Amino acid sequence: LGAIEGLDVLVKTAASGHLEERRQAILGLGQIDDPRATMALLGVFRAEHERTALRSEAALALALHGKREIMRILAAELEARASLDRLVGDQEQLVVAIATALGLGDSSSRT
């Protein structure tokens, strides 16, 4: 899990498949510092049709990369989503995951 040699398989699995396999693939992508891994995670994170749990896990996996650009994306998403009506129900999980991901990021990359 997380080895560059498995990148293509992880990208494919993160996009479709059984839920638990997708979750593990998302975690693996978070451990690979490669633009293709980042793009795959952003794809899951930004996909409105995806389960909130997967989008939340993609946000956390993106934070593992610790890159300033990713932190900016997550901060913008948090700002756009952190409204009272989104802090209840299904979207609450995503907002909390984004805030947690921002907290996990390297302090030098925070905006």
Side-chain angles (χ1 to χ4, degrees), residues 25-95:
I26 287 169
L27 175 61
L29 289 170
Q31 296 174 16
I32 298 174
D33 186 16
D34 185 277
R36 294 172 294 169
T38 303
M39 294 309 294
L41 289 171
L42 284 171
V44 173
F45 174 67
R46 289 182 167 157
E48 296 283 333
H49 67 277
E50 286 290 2
R51 295 178 184 203
T52 301
L54 287 176
R55 295 178 70 202
S56 299
E57 290 173 19
L60 294 170
L62 283 163
L64 295 175
H65 289 193
K67 296 195 184 306
R68 182 167 297 167
E69 305 82 39
I70 293 171
M71 294 298 116
R72 287 184 182 138
I73 291 168
L74 292 173
E77 284 291 326
L78 180 63
E79 187 175 331
R81 294 177 178 281
S83 61
L84 189 56
D85 62 317
R86 291 187 183 234
L87 292 175
V88 291
D90 190 45
Q91 291 299 306
E92 176 186 10
Q93 179 182 3
L94 184 58
V95 172

Side-chain angles (χ1 to χ4, degrees), residues 13-14 16-26:
T13 304
S16 64
H18 297 291
L19 178 61
E20 191 56 37
E21 290 172 352
R22 291 184 75 192
R23 295 175 81 178
Q24 294 301 318
I26 287 169

